[in-house]
Amino acid sequence: GAVVSQHPSWVICKSGTSVKIECRSLDFQATTMFWYRQFPKQSLMLMATSNEGSKATYEQGVEKDKFLINHASLTLSTLTVTSAHPEDSSFYICSASRTGAYNSPLHFGNGTRLTVT
Amino acid sequence: QKEVEQNSGPLSVPEGAIASLNCTYSDRGSQSFFWYRQYSGKSPELIMFIYSNGDKEDGRFTAQLNKASQYVSLLIRDSQPSDSATYLCAVKYSGGGADGLTFGKGTHLIIQP
């Protein structure tokens, strides 16, 4: 089945620093990838849609200048949390579906647990 | 606002019994429906997806879709302790393009040995 790799799986950083999270589709091309965030005991919340070769589309309430998304190739999207603060501590998960398959299920990476101290 | 509703539980089911998980959605134009399983501290993994009215079976799992009632369910037969997890219902809404999914808050399922 489709595999999505996410790195790192966990990261601890100091307040004010930036953290980059990578998401790769390993055996398929993904024109579009999605970034979710999940707080404890809450459901997944879509943060943004990452489009290869163009700007990301952010959900309402998500600061595009704080959560920078780059989708430079058909297999890689990155999320950079800039000037991280403790309230940004969360579980960040990327997902992707096969290019050209509208109803193709989303496959998730293993997630990145970010802790900002 | 498009919504996906699930009973948060916990839903407790004895081992070997059938676990029934339910989900309702608000947008009648929704086209695709997914069930994901999420263990604590892990990312969701796809269990099943269904697009057409009726039942779809895969091993011990059966997804049921009723678009007229805007209702989708997941049945787990012969429940095992390893099935204990949070089950997320997700809906892909109409509108074209590779849209992301809208998730319910999940149902916490506990299989009692």
Side-chain angles (χ1 to χ4, degrees):
Chain A
V3 178
V4 176
S5 174
Q6 191 172 338
H7 178 81
S9 57
W10 60 270
V11 59
I12 301 173
C13 70
K14 293 184 177 180
S15 184
T17 60
S18 296
V19 174
K20 179 185 283 188
I21 303 170
E22 292 188 348
C23 180
R24 295 179 184 273
S25 57
L26 296 185
D27 58 354
F28 64 99
Q29 293 184 335
T31 304
T32 305
M33 293 185 177
F34 304 93
W35 288 95
Y36 291 84
R37 179 168 54 182
Q38 186 178 37
F39 292 105
K41 299 189 183 300
Q42 298 294 314
S43 188
L44 281 78
M45 296 300 295
L46 179 65
M47 298 177 65
T49 302
S50 173
N51 304 298
E52 188 267 337
S54 64
K55 293 182 178 180
T57 304
Y58 291 82
E59 295 299 300
Q60 189 174 6
V62 178
E63 300 176 57
K64 63 180 181 180
D65 294 330
K66 182 173 183 60
F67 298 99
L68 301 179
I69 292 174
N70 185 282
H71 194 152
S73 76
L74 287 173
T75 59
L76 173 64
S77 175
T78 61
L79 169 68
T80 301
V81 183
T82 63
S83 186
H85 288 92
E87 56 265 31
D88 297 324
S89 298
S90 188
F91 192 44
Y92 292 84
I93 313 172
C94 72
S95 67
S97 60
R98 292 182 183 276
T99 295
Y102 174 65
N103 277 333
S104 178
L106 282 182
H107 298 275
F108 287 88
N110 288 330
T112 298
R113 188 160 303 281
L114 171 63
T115 302
V116 184
T117 61
Chain B
Q1 185 175 354
K2 298 178 174 64
E3 296 180 344
V4 178
E5 299 288 341
Q6 292 181 258
N7 189 322
S8 61
L11 173 65
S12 185
V13 174
E15 183 177 358
I18 296 175
S20 178
L21 304 164
N22 304 315
C23 173
T24 58
Y25 57 94
S26 62
D27 187 352
R28 190 171 290 278
S30 302
Q31 298 178 350
S32 311
F33 308 87
F34 306 85
W35 282 100
Y36 287 85
R37 178 175 62 196
Q38 187 176 26
Y39 293 112
S40 180
K42 303 294 184 181
S43 69
E45 56 179 317
L46 181 67
I47 297 295
M48 290 192 70
F49 56 91
I50 186 168
Y51 306 138
S52 304
N53 274 328
D55 295 359
K56 179 181 179 182
E57 186 175 318
D58 184 1
R60 296 188 295 114
F61 299 96
T62 299
Q64 299 175 318
L65 175 61
N66 184 325
K67 289 187 177 182
S69 300
Q70 296 173 233
Y71 174 95
V72 58
S73 64
L74 179 69
L75 302 178
I76 307 174
R77 290 181 299 280
D78 188 23
S79 298
Q80 304 296 311
S82 59
D83 294 327
S84 298
T86 296
Y87 288 80
L88 302 172
C89 173
V91 175
K92 181 175 283 189
Y93 285 98
S94 57
D99 296 320
L101 298 178
T102 298
F103 285 84
K105 291 186 177 181
T107 298
H108 183 41
L109 175 66
I110 299 172
I111 305 301
Q112 296 179 323

